[in-house]
Amino acid sequence: MAQHDLILLGPPGAGKGTHAEYLKTDMNYMHLSTGDLLRVAVAAQNNLGKQAQTYMEAGELVPDDLVIDLVAERMEQLGSDEYYLLDGFPRTIVQAEALAEILEGIGREQPLVINLAVSDAEVVRRLSGRRMCPGCGTIYNVHRDGLDIGDNCPQCGGELYQRSDDQPEAIRNRLEVYKQDSALLIEYYRQRGQLVTVDAEQGQEEVSAELAQLARRGRLY
Ligand code: AMP
């Protein structure tokens, strides 16, 4: 069955992680998250990891050439019957242009870029509802699970807490940073006719169904 390569864009809390997981398990996508790949490199303390570490610890973007090399290497290994789902890349126009060039070089079509759109108010509501377990690492949500700060984790009994960057003020800052970084990228892909916007405030199942349809058929018009 024909399938499309995908890039997922969306603010924190848009459900990128959840939907990437579905597309990976249900449709066999190769999930390429540059954040995950970089964290593995840092843990291994290899050449790339040592170079990336200081930027990541400071919450800054890793230099374009390092991340582009990392992605190029993965793209060149892709089989013609494999499809990728990029998450966390590209973050800059330089990265987007490099990706287009890499794909041209290996004779692959340009990907569909899915923008998971969620209002600021909904992002704040979703993220401020997150509760973490210090014991087993499970993430809960007050809106979904009815568990709050100080409650005990149903799985291991740990006392649930809220991450400091999930407080409403910190969330608003993260959102502003995301918007500044993503505005140019969204415009870049819109001009190239690669952008599709999905309303990510619908229920999880509706969003999943829409993504699966886009993945199979491309644009829906
Ligand atoms: P993430 O898990 O996507 O939030 O990424 C975690 C960190 O890895 C970011 O704060 C950056 O330091 C780095 N990083 C991940 N992807 C990229 C990228 N495409 N370009 C530059 N830095 C990146």
Side-chain angles (χ1 to χ4, degrees), residues 16 33-39 52-64 66-68 70-71 87-92 95:
K16 262 190 306 169
S33 150
T34 42
D36 286 350
L37 293 172
L38 289 167
R39 277 183 286 275
Q53 188 163 16
T54 27
Y55 297 98
M56 292 176 75
E57 283 172 355
E60 289 166 12
L61 289 182
V62 170
D64 285 330
L66 293 181
V67 196
I68 290 166
L70 185 65
V71 170
D87 167 6
F89 182 96
R91 293 268 236 277
T92 63
Q95 292 179 13

Side-chain angles (χ1 to χ4, degrees), residues 73-221:
E73 199 184 301
R74 295 294 187 293
M75 292 291 154
E76 278 152 16
Q77 290 165 1
L78 274 177
S80 54
D81 55 347
E82 285 181 298
Y83 297 90
Y84 64 83
L85 167 67
L86 270 173
D87 167 6
F89 182 96
R91 293 268 236 277
T92 63
I93 298 294
V94 172
Q95 292 179 13
E97 286 173 342
L99 175 66
E101 221 169 274
I102 293 164
L103 295 172
E104 255 169 49
I106 58 174
R108 229 181 145 98
E109 268 188 40
Q110 300 298 327
L112 194 64
V113 181
I114 298 181
N115 182 27
L116 292 174
V118 195
S119 68
D120 291 2
E122 180 62 11
V123 168
V124 173
R125 194 187 77 89
R126 287 184 188 178
L127 294 187
S128 61
R130 278 210 299 214
R131 301 291 178 264
M132 326 291 292
C133 173
C136 61
T138 305
I139 301 172
Y140 297 95
N141 195 293
V142 284
H143 310 298
R144 186 190 59 210
D145 308 311
L147 292 161
D148 212 336
I149 297 170
D151 286 347
N152 293 107
C153 171
Q155 307 206 41
C156 77
E159 197 174 312
L160 302 183
Y161 72 100
Q162 183 177 40
R163 273 170 43 170
S164 57
D165 57 351
D166 282 345
Q167 312 273 357
E169 201 39 51
I171 295 169
R172 286 196 193 94
N173 286 338
R174 280 157 72 193
L175 256 177
E176 283 314 308
V177 171
Y178 171 78
K179 281 192 205 166
Q180 277 173 17
D181 291 350
S182 63
L184 287 173
L185 273 180
I186 289 176
E187 197 40 42
Y188 173 89
Y189 283 121
R190 195 195 309 280
Q191 282 177 11
R192 278 159 188 75
Q194 286 174 255
L195 190 79
V196 181
T197 298
V198 168
D199 173 7
E201 284 194 29
Q202 309 171 81
Q204 207 160 286
E205 283 181 13
E206 282 89 353
V207 177
S208 262
E210 215 172 296
L211 292 182
Q213 233 179 345
L214 283 168
R216 289 203 188 89
R217 307 217 318 251
R219 297 170 144 281
L220 298 176
Y221 54 76

